[in-house]
């Protein structure tokens, strides 16, 4: 382990411990411990956060964690394997069993492009071996990384791996980051046309940039932002008024809202609410 790694291991700021993005957050929190760490300043333009998961289910049945779709690329390491997950347009499932640890990184939308250097749409809904991008990640690397048994040391080592590639922020990534930050902050920006008018860019250019850098179109990203609000409301409220929720999110017809919700979550709003109240399917 380098002296730089040892020196930097205590600098990572931990994010609030929430199982946000997990389909059934309350149930998931009883099965594994999820921690998120903000990246260093050098990687902040590319990385949303680093994350670790620890679990001990010895003597218990396996647990299938369901993660909501996100417009980001992740890569992850266990002792046995290392993989890259492209943007998932449907629910992503991962089984945890026995005892184990995963350390990973969620890139910002567009943030993986300097490492992949190909259109990110090629990774959408796909899983590839980390060695396709980082050939140095072999069995010895994985065992040494997970053998550290310390979250911040593991995160520091992953950062060294990424920084060695000297990623550079280009003007297209800067534009995408600005668009996504604005969309997240301004809930009135509900359509691609509204965004193109705000940023003085054509719809064709937006489509091209999002396919190349993000892996999905801006229209899908906007839909996801709206529906994640609905998912969080379902987890917080005992009996959500879905007609009212649909109207608040800008849907003119509740049926359109229900169809989009099912595409993203795999269940209707009512089915999802029932699932998280009863813990069924876990």
């Amino acid at each position: 382990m380098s002296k730089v790694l040892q020196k930097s291991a205590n600098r990572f700021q931990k994010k609030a411990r929430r199982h946000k993005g997990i389909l059934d957050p309350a149930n998931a929190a009883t099965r594994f411990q999820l921690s998120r760490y903000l990246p260093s300043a050098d990687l902040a333009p590319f990385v949303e956060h680093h994350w670790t998961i620890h679990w001990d289910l010895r003597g218990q049945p396996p647990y299938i964690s369901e993660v909501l779709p996100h417009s980001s690329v992740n890569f992850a390491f266990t002792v046995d394997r290392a993989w890259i997950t492209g943007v998932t347009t449907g629910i992503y499932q991962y089984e945890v069993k026995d005892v184990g640890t995963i350390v990973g990184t969620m890139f910002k939308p567009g943030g993986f492009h300097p490492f992949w250097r190909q259109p990110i749409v090629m990774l959408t809904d796909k899983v590839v071996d980390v060695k396709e991008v980082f050939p140095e990640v072999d069995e010895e690397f994985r065992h040494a990384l997970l053998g550290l048994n310390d979250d911040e040391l593991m995160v520091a080592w992953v950062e060294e791996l990424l920084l060695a590639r000297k990623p550079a922020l280009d003007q297209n990534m800067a534009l995408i980051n600005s668009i996504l930050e604005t969309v997240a902050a301004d809930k009135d920006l509900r359509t691609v046309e509204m965004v193109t008018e705000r940023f003085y860019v054509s719809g064709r250019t937006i489509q091209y940039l999002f396919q190349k850098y993000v892996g999905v179109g801006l229209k899908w990203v906007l839909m996801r932002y709206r529906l994640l609000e609905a998912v969080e409301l379902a987890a917080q409220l005992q009996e959500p008024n879905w007609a009212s929720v649909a109207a608040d999110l800008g849907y003119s017809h509740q049926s359109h809202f229900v169809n989009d919700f099912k595409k993203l979550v795999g269940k209707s709003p009512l089915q999802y609410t029932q699932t998280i109240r009863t813990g069924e399917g876990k």
Side-chain angles (χ1 to χ4, degrees), residues 25 27 32 38 49 73 108 113 122 130 173 212 218 234 238 241 243 246-247 271:
N27 197 22
F32 57 81
L38 295 176
H49 58 251
V73 173
K108 288 184 174 180
H113 187 267
M122 294 172 63
V130 164
M173 286 182 58
K212 181 178 179 180
L218 176 57
Q238 285 298 321
N241 182 330
Q271 289 171 329

Side-chain angles (χ1 to χ4, degrees), residues 18-280:
R18 294 178 60 200
H19 284 56
K20 187 175 182 179
I22 307 294
L23 191 58
D24 185 358
N27 197 22
T30 68
R31 308 300 180 95
F32 57 81
Q33 177 186 332
L34 169 65
S35 300
R36 296 182 172 105
Y37 299 87
L38 295 176
S40 62
D42 289 337
L43 284 174
F46 314 98
V47 170
E48 186 72 32
H49 58 251
H50 304 287
W51 51 270
T52 62
I53 294 177
H54 301 275
W55 69 91
D56 188 344
L57 295 178
R58 286 174 290 190
Q60 302 178 53
Y63 175 73
I64 297 178
S65 175
E66 295 184 315
V67 183
L68 291 165
H70 201 287
S71 51
S72 297
V73 173
N74 276 265
F75 75 172
F77 305 86
T78 66
V79 170
D80 299 320
R81 61 187 284 245
W83 67 98
I84 297 166
T85 306
V87 173
T88 54
T89 57
I91 294 294
Y92 178 76
Q93 294 183 329
Y94 188 84
E95 182 183 68
V96 293
K97 60 182 178 180
D98 299 324
V99 60
T101 295
I102 308 176
V103 56
T105 296
M106 174 182 279
F107 294 84
K108 288 184 174 180
F112 193 63
H113 187 267
F115 303 95
W116 177 249
R117 296 179 181 175
Q118 300 178 72
I120 297 297
V121 70
M122 294 172 63
L123 288 173
T124 299
D125 287 323
K126 292 187 173 88
V127 177
V128 301
D129 195 292
V130 164
K131 291 186 72 173
E132 290 195 22
V133 184
F134 301 93
E136 61 269 47
V137 178
D138 54 14
E139 182 179 2
E140 182 180 354
F141 182 100
R142 296 195 314 270
H143 280 262
L145 173 65
L146 274 298
L148 294 172
N149 293 317
D150 178 280
D151 277 12
E152 294 194 7
L153 282 175
M154 291 189 292
V155 167
W157 199 337
V158 169
E159 287 231 336
E160 278 200 347
L161 175 69
L162 295 173
L163 288 170
R165 294 303 177 90
K166 302 186 184 329
L169 182 69
D170 65 31
Q171 61 181 9
N172 290 329
M173 286 182 58
L175 173 61
I176 288 169
N177 286 341
S178 180
I179 288 173
L180 294 177
E181 288 170 3
T182 303
V183 166
D186 187 350
K187 295 180 181 178
D188 289 331
L189 283 176
R190 302 187 183 278
T191 68
V192 174
E193 290 74 19
M194 289 178 175
V195 174
T196 58
E197 289 178 9
R198 175 74 65 90
F199 285 87
Y200 303 101
V201 62
S202 73
R204 180 175 294 182
T205 297
I206 286 284
Q207 176 71 6
Y208 169 76
L209 291 178
F210 270 73
Q211 292 291 320
K212 181 178 179 180
Y213 285 83
V214 181
V216 288
L218 176 57
K219 182 178 180 180
W220 185 90
V221 174
L222 292 170
M223 179 188 73
R224 178 189 170 275
Y225 272 124
R226 291 199 289 175
L227 293 179
L228 284 189
E229 293 180 45
V231 169
E232 292 204 359
L233 284 173
Q236 296 167 7
L237 303 177
Q238 285 298 321
E239 295 184 6
N241 182 330
W242 291 115
S244 176
V245 169
D248 289 344
L249 293 178
Y251 283 91
S252 55
H253 299 285
Q254 187 178 351
S255 60
H256 293 165
F257 162 71
V258 172
N259 287 337
D260 281 352
F261 192 101
K262 288 180 72 173
K263 287 178 186 177
L264 193 81
V265 180
K267 300 177 175 71
S268 71
L270 181 58
Q271 289 171 329
Y272 173 64
T273 304
Q274 292 171 340
T275 298
I276 62 175
R277 296 286 176 264
T278 63
E280 291 176 355

